[in-house]
Amino acid sequence: MEETRGAGAGKARLRRVKAEGEDKLATLNLTPGLKVYGERLIEVDAAEYRMWDPVRSKLAAALLKGLKNLPIHEGGKVLYLGASTGTTVSHVSDLLGESGVVFAVEVAPRVAREFLEQVASKRSNVIPIVEDARRPERYRSVFSKVDVVYCDIAQPDQTEIALLNCRRHLSAGGSLLLIIKARSIDVLKDPDRVFKEEGDKIEAAGFKINQLIRLDPFDKDHALISAVWTE
Amino acid sequence: MKGRLFLTEVGVMVLDKPMETIVAKRFPEGEALQLYKRIESGEMIPLLKTLLAEAVEKGFDSFQIYEESLLKAAADAGFQVSSLSDHEVERMQGRKTALMVQAGWVKDEEEAQKVIRDFALKHSSLKLREMAAKPDLQVIQSVQALDEFDRTLNNVEARVREWYGLHFPELDRILDSPESYVNLVAKFGRRDSITKEGLEKLDFPAEKIEKILSSAERSRGSDLRDEDLQRILDLAEEAVRMSGIRDRLNKHVEQTMSQIAPNVTAVAGATIGARLIAKAGGLDKLARRPASTIQVLGAEKALFRALRTGARPPKHGILFQHQAVHAAPRWQRGKIARSLAAKIAIAARIDFYRGTSESGLKENLDKRFEEIRQKYSEPPAPTAQPRFEREERRGGRGGERRWQGGRNKRRWGRQGEAQKGQGRGRR
């Protein structure tokens, strides 16, 4: 276990809690008292946790649907592509704790503004990057290789973009969490075929796929691929 | 000895290959962002000149630089330069926090991280501010406001017509224009208060005045209680006021468009041009779209249905609103929309990349329209072969309409979306 500081030291950063008879997820709030998107705050073992909504966040959906070995750990470094308004980023930030860092890339001004106000400016482990994920050489703030590349962008060539970022910023043996939006890649193709084809691309690039998880019913025609760079 | 120039959030440094010898210059407090941006954009600021001169004294004789724009500026300033590879920059980036400590700028790597984050926050905010200042965002907001306002205004006017129609049903047939209808109601109120002089002041033609007055006398409408009349007047007056706002909005769209996209405005018209920019997400994006995409912008639903089911693709989206397209006979519309889209694509590129007015775009397009009109003046003959194979592939609404109304009707019966989006087509 790595050294922890600040609020909630030594507490589990990710918890499964029972609420309304259902299994739900919650993360240890890095900024106690502050909400990001109207999520519920709960008290467990004298620490404040934020409920993690699987409908709003695909990573939570993947965890609930059986993602094993989440590679995002306390103290780790994550490159997050497609930060949007920062819902998921905020939970990633919770998971990393003060000693970790997440570089969050978002290019669309409308959502980036909200992301800066609500998440990046309030969480000391979030470094915002307003750039196009197609140009990873322009992320001047990324000061080290990362352990995880998380990619959630709606582009037909999203897999290629993710791999481009991995080649430049992922450390050897690092992990890729790739959200595949079948409908963004090809509206006509059968989603399962799209998942397969994108998975093949990742393997051809030297990754070993650990898991492919379909995200329905939380997100239709979406899947998450968890892979490790073995090359 | 070759030196590599490394631009960071705190200052600039020159390093040798093993990253041992470092000549560094820190940005003065509070000026980091501004100086960083100037260097990034290729400006040889004094601080940079001093740094390179000092580095020369320390034994560096040439410099490798990553920023392309800076390469030329540094060469012009009399330094030996060559370009630095991606890979080498990556190496330095990866050791950035350590290098910052080594340069004596921060006491440890933790502080370096903090400095980098603070800079990233400021840098991102500045970028967003710059993006938000783009004038096409103003156009997008105003044209969307205009379209929404139009819908609301239509509703209010239609309601006045219905409600006042209880009292004076004959007026509906006499006055087509919604503006003049609400104007009249707002001005006179009850039908027996309508006067000849008042109507003349509203600039109605003599025969209309005659008709209105005579039917007011013999109206079959009911009487109105004062309270009811008051509420109708409220609505009518509001509609008149909204009409004014709407006209000002429209003028604003036209003015802004002629400034930021004069060529698109000339070819497509201000409102349609603005809608295309809004749909594409900005003038820059519109300029990068192929003409074929511009042709069907606004008809995405029909387009994707066509792709999914093999049905006929749409011929026009927003462009249907263009007078040349919707006024044309059906069989010419696709051709006209295609040439219009092609010209808009060219116009948008000139607007975005050059920013000057280009003469002759509109004239050439009009010439092309004329050619189409002459060459295809007759409707095409019904196809000789019944298209069974195609029919089978068609989906969507094809089923129930399959053999109704003859082949030609079916061929043309697919403008759906664009027409629905029409509104009542003021101007």
Side-chain angles (χ1 to χ4, degrees):
Chain A
M1 218 36 224
E2 277 158 84
E3 186 200 353
T4 53
R5 283 155 295 156
K11 294 267 193 302
R13 298 203 161 263
L14 176 65
R15 270 179 189 274
R16 283 174 191 271
V17 293
K18 283 261 184 225
E20 294 141 27
E22 283 176 64
D23 259 344
K24 298 215 162 134
L25 295 172
T27 56
L28 185 65
N29 195 353
L30 188 76
T31 54
L34 285 185
K35 295 181 184 185
V36 173
Y37 55 103
E39 71 279 20
R40 213 154 56 85
L41 301 176
I42 56 165
E43 192 88 7
V44 185
D45 294 348
E48 185 180 285
Y49 283 77
R50 297 162 55 229
M51 297 299 292
W52 194 358
D53 184 353
V55 176
R56 302 282 301 269
S57 172
K58 293 179 206 74
L59 185 53
L63 285 165
L64 286 177
K65 291 217 58 188
L67 174 66
K68 284 171 279 186
N69 303 329
L70 178 67
I72 301 172
H73 304 295
E74 179 157 2
K77 293 192 177 71
V78 176
L79 175 61
Y80 191 114
L81 310 174
S84 185
T85 56
T87 305
T88 307
V89 178
S90 72
H91 287 286
V92 170
S93 151
D94 278 351
L95 294 171
L96 294 169
E98 294 280 359
S99 55
V101 56
V102 48
F103 303 98
V105 181
E106 176 55 57
V107 74
R110 182 70 186 75
V111 288
R113 204 176 66 209
E114 208 170 311
F115 170 63
L116 280 181
E117 279 164 21
Q118 296 299 320
V119 181
S121 60
K122 295 185 175 154
R123 295 173 163 261
S124 58
N125 61 3
V126 177
I127 297 186
I129 299 173
V130 178
E131 277 294 349
D132 190 336
R134 284 196 168 81
R135 312 296 300 269
E137 72 279 6
R138 290 193 186 168
Y139 313 160
R140 301 298 286 258
S141 330
V142 180
F143 52 76
S144 119
K145 295 274 180 193
V146 297
D147 317 308
V148 181
V149 169
Y150 181 98
C151 177
D152 182 3
I153 51 182
Q155 292 293 325
D157 54 346
Q158 51 176 351
T159 307
E160 285 79 3
I161 294 175
L163 292 173
L164 188 69
N165 278 274
C166 288
R167 251 171 255 133
R168 188 159 188 122
H169 295 295
L170 189 61
S171 60
S175 302
L176 168 64
L177 293 175
L178 177 67
I179 303 284
I180 299 181
K181 306 177 181 230
R183 294 282 172 241
S184 296
I185 291 172
D186 193 326
V187 279
L188 305 179
K189 251 185 228 163
D190 172 43
D192 279 318
R193 209 171 124 206
V194 176
F195 299 151
K196 169 93 175 55
E197 285 171 2
E198 301 307 303
D200 290 349
K201 286 183 198 163
I202 295 171
E203 284 184 331
F207 283 83
K208 182 179 162 292
I209 294 180
N210 288 334
Q211 258 186 306
L212 186 152
I213 297 170
R214 296 197 59 143
L215 300 183
D216 53 284
F218 303 113
D219 284 281
K220 207 175 156 239
D221 300 331
H222 281 61
L224 178 143
I225 287 185
S226 164
V228 177
W229 202 3
T230 54
E231 204 175 47
Chain B
M1 180 169 51
K2 264 192 188 172
R4 288 116 187 260
L5 186 77
F6 186 33
L7 172 64
T8 78
E9 289 88 339
V10 191
V12 216
M13 54 174 93
V14 173
L15 314 156
D16 60 351
K17 194 168 179 195
M19 302 193 211
E20 277 156 14
T21 316
I22 291 184
V23 187
K25 272 252 171 294
R26 189 181 184 146
F27 296 133
E29 197 72 32
E31 292 175 43
L33 183 54
Q34 182 223 340
L35 295 179
Y36 178 99
K37 289 199 63 136
R38 282 171 67 188
I39 293 178
E40 206 185 20
S41 63
E43 210 181 312
M44 275 301 276
I45 59 169
L47 179 136
L48 195 56
K49 265 189 198 152
T50 325
L51 172 77
L52 292 182
E54 270 176 35
V56 170
E57 270 170 38
K58 293 255 165 72
F60 289 102
D61 45 25
S62 71
F63 301 97
Q64 291 178 299
I65 299 178
Y66 181 63
E67 289 77 12
E68 232 165 83
S69 48
L70 199 59
L71 260 174
K72 192 177 170 304
D76 289 348
F79 294 100
Q80 281 283 329
V81 292
S82 55
S83 70
L84 186 60
S85 73
D86 252 13
H87 175 72
E88 293 297 333
V89 181
E90 253 181 271
R91 270 187 61 215
M92 298 194 293
Q93 286 284 114
R95 292 201 48 199
K96 179 147 74 182
T97 47
L99 288 171
M100 283 180 176
V101 179
Q102 215 174 322
W105 290 337
V106 289
K107 63 177 195 304
D108 53 23
E109 294 195 30
E110 201 173 316
E111 192 190 335
Q113 266 192 46
K114 196 181 159 304
V115 174
I116 291 172
R117 172 171 176 267
D118 288 345
F119 185 93
L121 278 173
K122 282 196 202 115
H123 194 196
S124 309
S125 303
L126 180 68
K127 265 194 187 162
L128 291 183
R129 215 173 310 141
E130 285 169 359
M131 288 188 208
K134 283 192 338 185
D136 41 355
L137 295 182
Q138 296 292 332
V139 166
I140 293 176
Q141 291 297 330
S142 38
V143 77
Q144 287 177 345
L146 177 66
D147 287 347
E148 279 159 18
F149 217 81
D150 255 351
R151 277 197 288 277
T152 315
L153 181 54
N154 279 340
N155 279 342
V156 176
E157 284 169 348
R159 177 53 57 208
V160 170
R161 203 176 265 268
E162 281 293 310
W163 197 345
Y164 192 69
L166 295 176
H167 170 63
F168 189 1
E170 294 78 6
L171 188 62
D172 182 38
R173 208 92 45 80
I174 303 172
L175 285 185
D176 255 357
S177 140
E179 282 109 315
S180 31
Y181 193 103
V182 291
N183 269 332
L184 184 146
V185 176
K187 183 166 167 110
F188 298 108
R190 283 202 177 81
R191 62 172 184 254
D192 45 20
S193 322
I194 300 175
T195 61
K196 189 158 186 247
E197 297 72 46
L199 287 174
E200 276 163 357
K201 261 195 211 136
L202 286 179
D203 275 340
F204 283 109
E207 55 169 323
K208 274 237 155 112
I209 296 181
E210 197 46 51
K211 258 190 186 166
I212 294 171
L213 288 173
S214 65
S215 41
E217 254 172 60
R218 310 180 254 110
S219 175
R220 283 196 206 88
S222 68
D223 285 340
L224 272 184
R225 293 184 308 157
D226 280 343
E227 307 92 276
D228 293 328
L229 176 68
Q230 267 318 313
R231 300 294 82 76
I232 295 176
L233 284 177
D234 282 350
L235 283 185
E237 281 157 14
E238 191 60 22
V240 172
R241 213 174 58 86
M242 286 171 76
S243 208
I245 299 179
R246 194 232 164 244
D247 289 344
R248 285 196 294 281
L249 256 176
N250 192 42
K251 197 168 280 167
H252 180 71
V253 171
E254 278 168 10
Q255 271 169 359
T256 325
M257 276 298 285
S258 64
Q259 283 161 15
I260 72 154
N263 297 300
V264 171
T265 307
V267 174
T271 336
I272 293 175
R275 287 189 187 121
L276 289 172
I277 289 177
K279 196 85 199 171
L283 181 59
D284 52 334
K285 304 234 173 75
L286 186 67
R288 283 189 217 112
R289 293 264 191 254
S292 54
T293 302
I294 294 176
Q295 189 183 342
V296 295
L297 274 183
E300 287 79 8
K301 204 173 142 199
L303 177 68
F304 286 117
R305 181 180 55 224
L307 288 174
R308 256 200 319 277
T309 64
R312 293 174 175 281
K315 294 188 279 296
H316 32 57
I318 289 170
L319 288 193
F320 183 78
Q321 297 159 11
H322 195 277
Q323 193 266 342
V325 179
H326 72 244
R330 287 166 190 276
W331 63 90
Q332 292 176 6
R333 282 182 193 160
K335 300 177 203 310
I336 289 188
R338 177 152 29 92
S339 51
L340 177 60
K343 204 56 99 187
I344 292 173
I346 293 170
R349 286 163 207 183
I350 299 175
D351 283 335
F352 182 68
Y353 292 106
R354 201 194 296 157
T356 55
S357 252
E358 180 84 2
S359 60
L361 282 178
K362 176 88 174 105
E363 291 70 19
N364 284 338
L365 183 62
D366 285 340
K367 229 189 273 166
R368 174 71 191 137
F369 286 167
E370 203 40 52
E371 275 173 32
I372 294 173
R373 282 182 201 121
Q374 284 176 9
K375 191 162 174 205
Y376 303 97
S377 55
E378 294 304 315
T383 1
Q385 296 270 319
R387 287 190 304 269
F388 283 115
E389 278 169 48
R390 288 191 96 130
E391 286 302 324
E392 275 161 27
R393 290 176 59 214
R394 281 173 60 178
R397 301 174 298 179
E400 74 190 63
R401 316 163 66 173
R402 200 155 275 186
W403 294 110
Q404 292 166 9
R407 254 168 241 142
N408 284 345
K409 189 165 177 196
R410 231 175 339 101
R411 282 196 63 177
W412 303 322
R414 261 181 203 279
Q415 274 89 30
E417 222 167 293
Q419 281 164 336
K420 264 185 261 157
Q422 270 290 287
R424 72 161 161 223
R426 285 171 180 248
R427 227 153 311 169

